Amino acid sequence: MNNQLWIACLLGAAAGLIVGQLVFNSPFLGILIGVGLGALVGAAVGPRRG
């Protein structure tokens, strides 16, 4: 299980909630963007096999 992925998704959702409310006036859109970006970052910093 990739713990970095989950942590990044949760942090992205929290940040996205705030940014989405401030910028887009839509916390739902911010959460979606935050989780998406968090998943990308979490997958990038996850354990590499090789």
Side-chain angles (χ1 to χ4, degrees):
M1 189 164 162
N2 190 352
N3 288 335
Q4 288 88 359
L5 178 63
W6 289 107
I7 292 169
C9 282
L10 290 175
L11 290 175
L17 176 67
I18 296 168
V19 171
Q21 183 64 37
L22 293 175
V23 176
F24 302 113
N25 201 20
S26 171
F28 182 72
L29 181 62
I31 288 174
L32 288 178
I33 293 170
V35 168
L37 290 176
L40 289 175
V41 170
V45 299
R48 295 201 166 89
R49 298 174 191 211

